């Protein structure tokens, strides 16, 4: 049943639309009562999304699409997320280095100049203070235990330092193009083995990678200028996943927060 939120003196309750007094219900906000704050709202700029917005459209139409999301007369999104390497919403699997390049000398993000970065720059034209979060869906296949970017697999421990350096390279490449990211998450959905780009981390693996590799690499390269988020998966097992990280005093100030996805019908089951 479709539900709407109805304001009451005591707070808010959920009610079926069929019992609302008007076919055009309104919501009254009590601005004197404040709860948690928000950095903002936004959406992801993926290769597939940018392709859809750009391909076959005129420049004016493309700009209008971006303005609808990020412009002052649109939704005024002030947050966005982009993927490092390909994601499930890309046009195919890709990375930024040649196969087996453990020096990262071949590192090149020019593929993103076709769709993702033009879209991001246009968004920045509307929101110069736009906060951009970077998330990987998978390391290069040769860094993984299953030798594929798809179908899960894990980052080989021998490549923990190299994968941390890969994050740094990507951020520096964006900075060289005049784009300043706000933060990174360790891995999109680290507990999900998918038919598309995916990589699995146990709690212990994520803790080790963050504490001894990614955290120090970001701190050394950016002196606290890049925020680090952990988990980045569904909310149901947040506590057991992030406890080893958040309980370590050495990581206080290294990890900015916990990213999570509000997925699944069960996520709304306790809303009254």
């Amino acid at each position: 049943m479709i539900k709407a939120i109805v304001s009451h003196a005591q707070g808010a309750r959920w009610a079926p639309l069929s019992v609302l007094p008007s076919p055009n219900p309104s919501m009254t906000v009590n601005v004197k009562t404040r709860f948690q704050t928000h950095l903002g709202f936004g959406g992801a700029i993926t290769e597939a999304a940018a392709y859809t917005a750009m391909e076959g459209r005129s420049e004016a139409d493309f700009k209008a699409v971006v303005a609808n999301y990020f412009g002052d007369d649109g939704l005024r999104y002030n947050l966005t997320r982009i993927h490092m390497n390909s994601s499930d919403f890309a046009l195919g699997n890709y990375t930024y280095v040649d196969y087996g390049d453990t020096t990262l000398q071949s590192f090149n993000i020019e593929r993103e100049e076709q769709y993702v970065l033009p879209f991001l720059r246009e968004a920045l034209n509307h929101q110069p203070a736009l906060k951009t979060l970077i998330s990987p869906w998978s390391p290069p296949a040769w860094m993984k235990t299953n030798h594929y970017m798809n179908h899960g697999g894990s980052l080989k421990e021998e490549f923990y330092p190299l994968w941390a350096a890969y994050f740094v390279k990507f951020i520096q490449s964006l900075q060289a193009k005049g784009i300043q990211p706000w933060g990174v998450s360790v891995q999109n959905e680290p507990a999900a083995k998918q038919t598309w780009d995916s990589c699995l981390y146990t709690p212990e693996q994520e803790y080790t990678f963050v504490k001894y590799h990614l955290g120090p690499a970001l701190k050394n390269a950016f002196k606290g200028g890049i925020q680090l988020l952990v988990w980045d998966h569904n909310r149901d097992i947040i506590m057991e996943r992030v406890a080893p990280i958040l309980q370590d005093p050495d990581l206080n100030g290294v990890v900015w927060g916990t990213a999570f996805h509000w997925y699944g019908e069960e996520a709304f089951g306790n809303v009254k």
Side-chain angles (χ1 to χ4, degrees):
M1 179 178 292
I2 299 175
K3 296 184 178 181
I5 198 165
V6 183
S7 177
H8 282 262
Q10 302 91 341
R13 68 177 176 86
W14 290 94
L17 284 176
S18 59
V19 303
L20 294 175
S22 167
N24 298 304
S26 62
M27 183 174 69
T28 302
V29 178
N30 182 357
V31 297
K32 294 181 180 179
T33 301
R34 296 188 177 187
F35 298 98
Q36 72 270 27
T37 59
H38 294 267
L39 288 177
F41 297 88
I45 300 175
T46 64
E47 186 181 55
Y51 169 87
T52 301
M54 298 172 66
E55 199 68 18
R57 295 181 187 270
S58 67
E59 182 75 6
D61 285 346
F62 162 62
K63 289 179 178 291
V65 168
V66 181
N68 283 337
Y69 291 104
F70 297 91
D72 287 340
D73 294 327
L75 296 175
R76 289 184 291 177
Y77 280 177
N78 64 343
L79 300 174
T80 192
R81 180 160 82 144
I82 62 173
H83 45 86
M84 181 173 74
N85 292 338
S86 55
S87 74
D88 52 341
F89 282 91
L91 304 182
N93 293 127
Y94 65 86
T95 73
Y96 306 130
V97 294
D98 294 340
Y99 186 91
D101 178 12
T102 58
T103 66
L104 303 185
Q105 289 184 354
S106 62
F107 196 94
N108 188 311
I109 68 168
E110 289 309 302
R111 174 169 178 141
E112 307 299 5
E113 286 289 2
Q114 188 170 8
Y115 298 113
V116 173
L117 294 185
F119 195 114
L120 180 56
R121 290 192 186 96
E122 186 62 23
L124 286 164
N125 286 337
H126 293 283
Q127 297 289 340
L130 181 69
K131 288 182 170 61
T132 301
L133 175 68
I134 297 166
S135 298
W137 266 243
S138 176
W142 51 271
M143 291 189 191
K144 297 175 63 183
T145 56
N146 69 341
H147 307 291
Y148 291 97
M149 293 189 73
N150 303 344
H151 309 294
S154 297
L155 177 66
K156 293 180 179 180
E157 190 171 353
E158 66 196 85
F159 290 127
Y160 280 16
L162 186 64
W163 185 228
Y166 199 104
F167 276 80
V168 172
K169 278 276 194 181
F170 184 59
I171 295 167
Q172 290 173 336
S173 296
L174 292 174
Q175 290 175 330
K177 293 176 177 292
I179 297 169
Q180 176 57 51
W182 173 79
V184 301
S185 69
V186 178
Q187 167 65 39
N188 177 73
E189 299 187 344
K193 178 181 179 180
Q194 305 285 19
T195 57
W196 51 80
D197 313 65
S198 48
C199 183
L200 302 174
Y201 285 79
T202 65
E204 295 76 18
Q205 287 171 332
E206 185 172 11
Y207 171 81
T208 298
F209 180 59
V210 166
K211 180 168 183 175
Y212 300 106
H213 303 284
L214 184 57
L218 295 176
K219 181 179 180 180
N220 291 338
F222 307 110
K223 312 304 179 186
I226 299 294
Q227 309 301 336
L228 175 58
L229 284 76
V230 297
W231 186 221
D232 202 353
H233 204 161
N234 295 4
R235 74 182 187 110
D236 51 351
I237 57 171
I238 287 178
M239 295 306 295
E240 52 263 48
R241 283 295 308 219
V242 303
I245 293 173
L246 300 186
Q247 290 173 355
D248 186 335
D250 291 341
L251 294 178
N252 184 24
V254 175
V255 174
W256 182 86
T258 301
F260 67 93
H261 304 182
W262 199 276
Y263 287 156
E265 185 176 349
E266 70 281 357
F268 301 95
N270 294 324
V271 176
K272 301 293 185 184

